[in-house]
């Protein structure tokens, strides 16, 4: 990776993380100059990162003004979560015969990381690890289109996770850390495909139900 690409990746990930953490509102205008000053970088990597964020459907360009977060309707998010459910369960079906001990151990390492951050109140940290778990699971299918499509959907599904985690932390509820991943790993070790798919569906459906209820009161995000 070149130095320019590393800087572009830094800006991309930092802006994306700040969006998840709600450091920017939907009315915020993000400009090249703002990010150049913030990260003390040249224009090129900043512009490339903003272009990529637009390409990924996270930001939209406002000519001669700057960039802002693309508004997302409740239906858009619901549709994305529905597609996630279809893709992830089908990927699991395809990959199940080839999920061996080494693959399960890879998931266990991610689960251990999740357990190590249980007291960390940072939405981005939790969401990023959640994404890694689901992408890793889908990658066992050896079908790049499953993985690429899921990654794109994850960049849409992040929109509702701030309230999902914050609500439970504020209430002192640990539901934001429901052990779906741990349960899924146990089902995979038992070679129980039906139970594995059931747990995976519950994991995604639980998030969808919460976000749908949350967005009904907000209209859109």
């Amino acid at each position: 990776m070149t130095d320019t690409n590393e800087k572009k990746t830094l800006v991309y990930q930092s802006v994306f993380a700040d969006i998840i953490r709600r450091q920017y509102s939907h009315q915020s205008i993000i400009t090249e100059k703002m990010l150049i000053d913030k990260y003390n970088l040249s224009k090129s990597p900043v512009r490339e990162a903003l272009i990529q964020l637009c390409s990924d459907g996270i930001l939209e360009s406002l000519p001669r003004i700057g960039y802002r977060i693309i508004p997302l309707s409740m239906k858009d998010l619901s549709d994305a979560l529905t597609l996630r459910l279809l893709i992830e369960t089908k990927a699991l079906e395809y990959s199940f015969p080839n999920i061996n001990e080494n693959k399960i151990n890879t998931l266990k390492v991610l689960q251990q990381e999740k357990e190590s951050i249980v007291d960390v109140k940072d939405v981005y940290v939790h969401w990023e690890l959640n994404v890694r778990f689901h992408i890793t699971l889908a990658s066992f299918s050896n079908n790049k289109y499953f993985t690429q499509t899921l990654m794109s959907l994850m960049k849409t599904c992040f929109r509702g996770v701030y309230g999902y985690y914050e609500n439970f932390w504020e209430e002192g509820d640990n539901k934001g850390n429901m052990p779906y991943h741990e349960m899924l790993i146990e089902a995979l070790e038992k070679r129980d495909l039906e139970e594995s798919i059931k747990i995976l569906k519950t994991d995604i459906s639980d998030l969808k139900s919460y976000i749908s209820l949350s967005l009904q009161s907000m209209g859109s995000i």
Side-chain angles (χ1 to χ4, degrees), residues 49-68:
L50 288 168
I51 290 172
Q52 187 63 51
L53 286 161
C54 289
S55 178
D56 289 343
I58 298 168
L59 296 179
E60 62 180 343
S61 175
L62 304 175
R64 296 181 297 280
I65 298 175
Y67 300 81
R68 69 178 177 189

mmCIF file of all heavy atoms in Angstrom, residues 49-68:
data_model
loop_
_atom_site.group_PDB
_atom_site.id
_atom_site.type_symbol
_atom_site.label_atom_id
_atom_site.label_comp_id
_atom_site.label_asym_id
_atom_site.label_seq_id
_atom_site.Cartn_x
_atom_site.Cartn_y
_atom_site.Cartn_z
ATOM 1 N N ALA A 49 -10.565 10.025 -0.364
ATOM 2 C CA ALA A 49 -11.374 9.406 0.689
ATOM 3 C C ALA A 49 -12.826 9.862 0.589
ATOM 4 O O ALA A 49 -13.756 9.047 0.728
ATOM 5 C CB ALA A 49 -10.809 9.764 2.064
ATOM 6 N N LEU A 50 -13.034 11.132 0.330
ATOM 7 C CA LEU A 50 -14.402 11.663 0.201
ATOM 8 C C LEU A 50 -15.103 11.073 -1.028
ATOM 9 O O LEU A 50 -16.295 10.747 -0.971
ATOM 10 C CB LEU A 50 -14.359 13.181 0.117
ATOM 11 C CG LEU A 50 -14.002 13.901 1.421
ATOM 12 C CD1 LEU A 50 -13.689 15.377 1.155
ATOM 13 C CD2 LEU A 50 -15.135 13.774 2.438
ATOM 14 N N ILE A 51 -14.363 10.926 -2.115
ATOM 15 C CA ILE A 51 -14.929 10.311 -3.317
ATOM 16 C C ILE A 51 -15.347 8.871 -3.024
ATOM 17 O O ILE A 51 -16.419 8.423 -3.451
ATOM 18 C CB ILE A 51 -13.913 10.359 -4.478
ATOM 19 C CG1 ILE A 51 -13.740 11.796 -4.963
ATOM 20 C CG2 ILE A 51 -14.370 9.459 -5.639
ATOM 21 C CD1 ILE A 51 -12.623 11.975 -5.983
ATOM 22 N N GLN A 52 -14.514 8.139 -2.265
ATOM 23 C CA GLN A 52 -14.840 6.759 -1.920
ATOM 24 C C GLN A 52 -16.056 6.690 -1.007
ATOM 25 O O GLN A 52 -16.914 5.809 -1.147
ATOM 26 C CB GLN A 52 -13.644 6.086 -1.251
ATOM 27 C CG GLN A 52 -13.840 4.586 -1.005
ATOM 28 C CD GLN A 52 -14.006 3.806 -2.283
ATOM 29 O OE1 GLN A 52 -13.191 3.946 -3.197
ATOM 30 N NE2 GLN A 52 -15.048 2.985 -2.374
ATOM 31 N N LEU A 53 -16.162 7.609 -0.071
ATOM 32 C CA LEU A 53 -17.323 7.660 0.813
ATOM 33 C C LEU A 53 -18.598 7.936 0.024
ATOM 34 O O LEU A 53 -19.667 7.414 0.346
ATOM 35 C CB LEU A 53 -17.116 8.720 1.896
ATOM 36 C CG LEU A 53 -16.121 8.343 3.010
ATOM 37 C CD1 LEU A 53 -15.637 9.582 3.747
ATOM 38 C CD2 LEU A 53 -16.762 7.359 3.986
ATOM 39 N N CYS A 54 -18.485 8.731 -1.019
ATOM 40 C CA CYS A 54 -19.631 8.983 -1.899
ATOM 41 C C CYS A 54 -19.963 7.723 -2.698
ATOM 42 O O CYS A 54 -21.140 7.351 -2.840
ATOM 43 C CB CYS A 54 -19.344 10.141 -2.854
ATOM 44 S SG CYS A 54 -19.290 11.766 -2.071
ATOM 45 N N SER A 55 -18.937 7.069 -3.216
ATOM 46 C CA SER A 55 -19.121 5.850 -3.997
ATOM 47 C C SER A 55 -19.779 4.754 -3.167
ATOM 48 O O SER A 55 -20.568 3.957 -3.685
ATOM 49 C CB SER A 55 -17.772 5.361 -4.525
ATOM 50 O OG SER A 55 -17.895 4.152 -5.239
ATOM 51 N N ASP A 56 -19.480 4.731 -1.861
ATOM 52 C CA ASP A 56 -20.042 3.715 -0.967
ATOM 53 C C ASP A 56 -21.422 4.098 -0.443
ATOM 54 O O ASP A 56 -21.991 3.384 0.393
ATOM 55 C CB ASP A 56 -19.099 3.475 0.209
ATOM 56 C CG ASP A 56 -17.833 2.737 -0.214
ATOM 57 O OD1 ASP A 56 -17.833 2.149 -1.318
ATOM 58 O OD2 ASP A 56 -16.848 2.742 0.549
ATOM 59 N N GLY A 57 -21.954 5.224 -0.906
ATOM 60 C CA GLY A 57 -23.303 5.622 -0.514
ATOM 61 C C GLY A 57 -23.414 6.179 0.877
ATOM 62 O O GLY A 57 -24.505 6.180 1.464
ATOM 63 N N ILE A 58 -22.313 6.669 1.428
ATOM 64 C CA ILE A 58 -22.314 7.221 2.783
ATOM 65 C C ILE A 58 -22.455 8.741 2.748
ATOM 66 O O ILE A 58 -23.202 9.325 3.532
ATOM 67 C CB ILE A 58 -21.030 6.801 3.522
ATOM 68 C CG1 ILE A 58 -20.990 5.269 3.653
ATOM 69 C CG2 ILE A 58 -20.959 7.456 4.900
ATOM 70 C CD1 ILE A 58 -19.658 4.722 4.092
ATOM 71 N N LEU A 59 -21.724 9.374 1.843
ATOM 72 C CA LEU A 59 -21.800 10.825 1.674
ATOM 73 C C LEU A 59 -22.301 11.163 0.277
ATOM 74 O O LEU A 59 -22.233 10.344 -0.641
ATOM 75 C CB LEU A 59 -20.422 11.463 1.870
ATOM 76 C CG LEU A 59 -19.757 11.356 3.242
ATOM 77 C CD1 LEU A 59 -18.391 12.041 3.205
ATOM 78 C CD2 LEU A 59 -20.629 11.955 4.338
ATOM 79 N N GLU A 60 -22.804 12.381 0.134
ATOM 80 C CA GLU A 60 -23.137 12.910 -1.183
ATOM 81 C C GLU A 60 -22.434 14.251 -1.351
ATOM 82 O O GLU A 60 -22.244 14.998 -0.389
ATOM 83 C CB GLU A 60 -24.649 13.080 -1.347
ATOM 84 C CG GLU A 60 -25.296 14.062 -0.381
ATOM 85 C CD GLU A 60 -26.800 14.183 -0.610
ATOM 86 O OE1 GLU A 60 -27.265 13.764 -1.687
ATOM 87 O OE2 GLU A 60 -27.488 14.707 0.292
ATOM 88 N N SER A 61 -22.030 14.522 -2.588
ATOM 89 C CA SER A 61 -21.301 15.756 -2.888
ATOM 90 C C SER A 61 -22.275 16.878 -3.203
ATOM 91 O O SER A 61 -23.233 16.692 -3.966
ATOM 92 C CB SER A 61 -20.376 15.532 -4.085
ATOM 93 O OG SER A 61 -19.743 16.730 -4.459
ATOM 94 N N LEU A 62 -22.040 18.027 -2.585
ATOM 95 C CA LEU A 62 -22.811 19.227 -2.867
ATOM 96 C C LEU A 62 -21.861 20.200 -3.558
ATOM 97 O O LEU A 62 -20.999 20.790 -2.908
ATOM 98 C CB LEU A 62 -23.351 19.835 -1.567
ATOM 99 C CG LEU A 62 -24.199 18.913 -0.682
ATOM 100 C CD1 LEU A 62 -24.553 19.612 0.620
ATOM 101 C CD2 LEU A 62 -25.448 18.465 -1.417
ATOM 102 N N PRO A 63 -21.950 20.340 -4.889
ATOM 103 C CA PRO A 63 -21.000 21.168 -5.639
ATOM 104 C C PRO A 63 -20.805 22.559 -5.034
ATOM 105 O O PRO A 63 -21.772 23.239 -4.694
ATOM 106 C CB PRO A 63 -21.639 21.249 -7.029
ATOM 107 C CG PRO A 63 -22.424 19.970 -7.139
ATOM 108 C CD PRO A 63 -22.980 19.739 -5.758
ATOM 109 N N ARG A 64 -19.547 22.919 -4.878
ATOM 110 C CA ARG A 64 -19.117 24.220 -4.358
ATOM 111 C C ARG A 64 -19.522 24.441 -2.894
ATOM 112 O O ARG A 64 -19.389 25.545 -2.374
ATOM 113 C CB ARG A 64 -19.654 25.363 -5.233
ATOM 114 C CG ARG A 64 -19.098 25.344 -6.651
ATOM 115 C CD ARG A 64 -19.627 26.504 -7.468
ATOM 116 N NE ARG A 64 -21.066 26.433 -7.643
ATOM 117 C CZ ARG A 64 -21.667 25.655 -8.550
ATOM 118 N NH1 ARG A 64 -20.945 24.907 -9.361
ATOM 119 N NH2 ARG A 64 -22.976 25.638 -8.661
ATOM 120 N N ILE A 65 -20.031 23.420 -2.249
ATOM 121 C CA ILE A 65 -20.418 23.541 -0.832
ATOM 122 C C ILE A 65 -19.626 22.571 0.038
ATOM 123 O O ILE A 65 -18.972 22.971 1.000
ATOM 124 C CB ILE A 65 -21.932 23.299 -0.643
ATOM 125 C CG1 ILE A 65 -22.736 24.356 -1.409
ATOM 126 C CG2 ILE A 65 -22.295 23.317 0.842
ATOM 127 C CD1 ILE A 65 -24.227 24.127 -1.370
ATOM 128 N N GLY A 66 -19.680 21.286 -0.308
ATOM 129 C CA GLY A 66 -18.995 20.275 0.487
ATOM 130 C C GLY A 66 -19.692 18.934 0.368
ATOM 131 O O GLY A 66 -20.232 18.594 -0.687
ATOM 132 N N TYR A 67 -19.717 18.211 1.464
ATOM 133 C CA TYR A 67 -20.309 16.874 1.484
ATOM 134 C C TYR A 67 -21.211 16.758 2.713
ATOM 135 O O TYR A 67 -20.976 17.381 3.741
ATOM 136 C CB TYR A 67 -19.228 15.800 1.549
ATOM 137 C CG TYR A 67 -18.273 15.818 0.382
ATOM 138 C CD1 TYR A 67 -17.208 16.731 0.357
ATOM 139 C CD2 TYR A 67 -18.405 14.944 -0.680
ATOM 140 C CE1 TYR A 67 -16.320 16.760 -0.706
ATOM 141 C CE2 TYR A 67 -17.516 14.963 -1.754
ATOM 142 C CZ TYR A 67 -16.479 15.873 -1.756
ATOM 143 O OH TYR A 67 -15.602 15.907 -2.810
ATOM 144 N N ARG A 68 -22.226 15.915 2.581
ATOM 145 C CA ARG A 68 -23.082 15.649 3.740
ATOM 146 C C ARG A 68 -23.511 14.184 3.725
ATOM 147 O O ARG A 68 -23.442 13.505 2.696
ATOM 148 C CB ARG A 68 -24.304 16.560 3.750
ATOM 149 C CG ARG A 68 -25.323 16.270 2.653
ATOM 150 C CD ARG A 68 -26.520 17.187 2.758
ATOM 151 N NE ARG A 68 -27.452 16.948 1.647
ATOM 152 C CZ ARG A 68 -28.505 17.717 1.393
ATOM 153 N NH1 ARG A 68 -28.748 18.773 2.159
ATOM 154 N NH2 ARG A 68 -29.302 17.434 0.382
#
